[in-house]
Amino acid sequence: MAEPVQGNLDRPITIAEDMECPLDGLPAEELRGICERLREELRRRTVALASAVHELRTPLAIMDGYIDLLWAGKAGDLSEKQRPIVDDMRANAKRLKSFISDFLTFTAIETRSMTMHLQSADLNGCVSETCGLWLPRFQRKGTTLYFSPEDELPPFPFDHLKVQHVVSNLLHNALKFTPEKGTVWVTVEKVAWERRLRTEPISVEKRRREIIKLPKAARVAVADTGPGVDPEFHLEIFQDFRKLATQDQSEQSMGLGLSIARRLVQAHGGKIWVESKPGEGAKFLFLLPIPKPETEA
């Protein structure tokens, strides 16, 4: 059995010693020291790994450029045997770029180096633009994509690019799990944000009066006709490096898409969740708070 780590040793305490140290019976000061050292080591390793991943972008961009030259036939016509090889190289380069982008976003959030740029904008336009970018991929798979805007939603402050990132991750997830000839619906709605659950009965009139006083929010939903998500995974899938198996094993990921979406929504002061039952598709929703006008504040 490992001996408790002593804080007054002449040599520095190693991470291995902190990890193997039995915690039972340690005084609060030593526990705090272990916690602080492990926190600092986690931060240091996260930054180091992010730096290493960032360095991959340049050689990958060069490789990607050459692959595109080959694919376009600018370096000579490809034979029937060469074409599928280059197609596979191109698809894997694209997947690797996606992995790198997700990981760098994740590390920026983890190390708190991410900056929010909140500007008053039209959420309908933001979501519609994102759907437009994804539409060709849905069409290639034979999956239908619908978008329904909220006509009465006023402009309000949010980070345009980060909300697009959230919607993109949800669309990617929906496309991955929705079969050919399936359907994905994207909707934007203006809602009252009722944070507390009510237990006692209430009249319809009183509820209407209370809803008027509730803070307003914009709700974005992405619903699909895929296999659905078991209730026991509704919270787990938003955790770091968690992913569900797909029938198409070529569609791999790091399991960071929904985790990043959760963190970006929370950075706006919002919340994200899933409503789903096995065999009935999945509906991912997130709320963004709409600040009250200064005249009402």
Side-chain angles (χ1 to χ4, degrees), residues 7-282:
N8 57 356
L9 296 176
D10 292 335
R11 62 178 177 79
I13 298 171
T14 67
I15 294 301
E17 289 172 329
D18 278 335
M19 293 290 290
E20 297 171 3
C21 175
L23 302 179
D24 294 339
L26 284 182
E29 185 176 346
E30 290 193 28
L31 286 172
R32 189 179 298 109
I34 292 174
C35 180
E36 290 298 330
R37 287 192 294 273
L38 290 177
R39 277 167 128 185
E40 177 57 27
E41 180 64 16
L42 176 61
R43 189 201 66 79
R44 188 187 67 79
R45 293 189 184 191
T46 301
V47 172
L49 190 53
S51 298
V53 170
H54 192 274
E55 290 300 317
L56 292 174
R57 299 181 93 171
T58 299
L60 178 59
I62 295 172
M63 291 169 55
D64 197 36
Y66 284 129
I67 290 172
D68 282 343
L69 283 175
L70 292 172
W71 185 81
K74 294 181 179 179
D77 294 336
L78 296 175
S79 68
E80 292 184 5
K81 290 184 178 180
Q82 292 171 334
R83 172 63 66 177
I85 294 173
V86 175
D87 285 342
D88 192 44
M89 291 168 60
R90 195 163 180 253
N92 279 282
K94 183 178 179 181
R95 189 173 297 124
L96 183 55
K97 284 194 293 185
S98 177
F99 287 173
I100 290 174
S101 177
D102 276 352
F103 189 79
L104 290 177
T105 302
F106 171 75
T107 53
I109 298 172
E110 279 289 284
T111 56
R112 298 181 181 178
S113 58
M114 182 183 71
T115 303
M116 298 292 292
H117 299 282
L118 302 178
Q119 294 183 331
S120 184
D122 175 23
L123 183 63
N124 286 318
C126 174
V127 177
S128 176
E129 181 182 346
T130 311
C131 289
L133 294 172
W134 277 86
L135 185 57
R137 303 185 210 186
F138 278 79
Q139 291 173 334
R140 283 196 296 269
K141 186 175 180 180
T143 303
T144 304
L145 176 63
Y146 291 108
F147 171 60
S148 176
E150 168 61 81
D151 294 333
E152 298 183 3
L153 184 65
F156 68 96
F158 62 90
D159 189 312
H160 187 96
L161 291 178
K162 291 181 177 60
V163 169
Q164 284 199 323
H165 196 153
V166 174
V167 177
S168 288
N169 285 3
L170 296 183
L171 286 172
H172 177 266
N173 194 68
L175 181 61
K176 180 167 60 174
F177 285 96
T178 304
E180 185 180 346
K181 297 184 180 179
T183 305
V184 174
W185 296 270
V186 181
T187 58
V188 177
E189 297 176 282
K190 182 181 178 183
V191 298
W193 189 341
E194 190 169 6
R195 291 180 170 87
R196 287 185 262 179
L197 296 176
R198 181 176 297 281
T199 56
E200 73 278 6
I202 182 173
S203 68
V204 174
E205 185 61 31
K206 184 176 180 182
R207 180 168 180 78
R208 284 176 180 167
R209 290 199 303 269
E210 290 193 359
I211 286 178
I212 293 175
K213 299 177 182 178
L214 288 172
K216 300 298 185 289
R219 182 173 66 195
V220 180
V222 178
D224 62 56
T225 55
V229 182
D230 289 320
E232 58 264 32
F233 296 120
H234 283 191
L235 295 178
E236 182 179 330
I237 57 176
F238 291 101
Q239 297 176 8
D240 302 336
F241 302 104
R242 294 290 198 277
K243 53 186 177 180
L244 299 177
T246 65
Q247 292 180 347
D248 181 7
Q249 295 303 320
S250 66
E251 188 67 56
Q252 299 174 2
S253 71
M254 295 179 67
L256 285 175
L258 292 178
S259 168
I260 289 172
R262 172 179 61 85
R263 289 164 183 258
L264 294 178
V265 169
Q266 290 176 342
H268 283 83
K271 67 176 183 178
I272 186 170
W273 71 99
V274 62
E275 297 174 356
S276 179
K277 292 180 181 179
E280 298 182 12

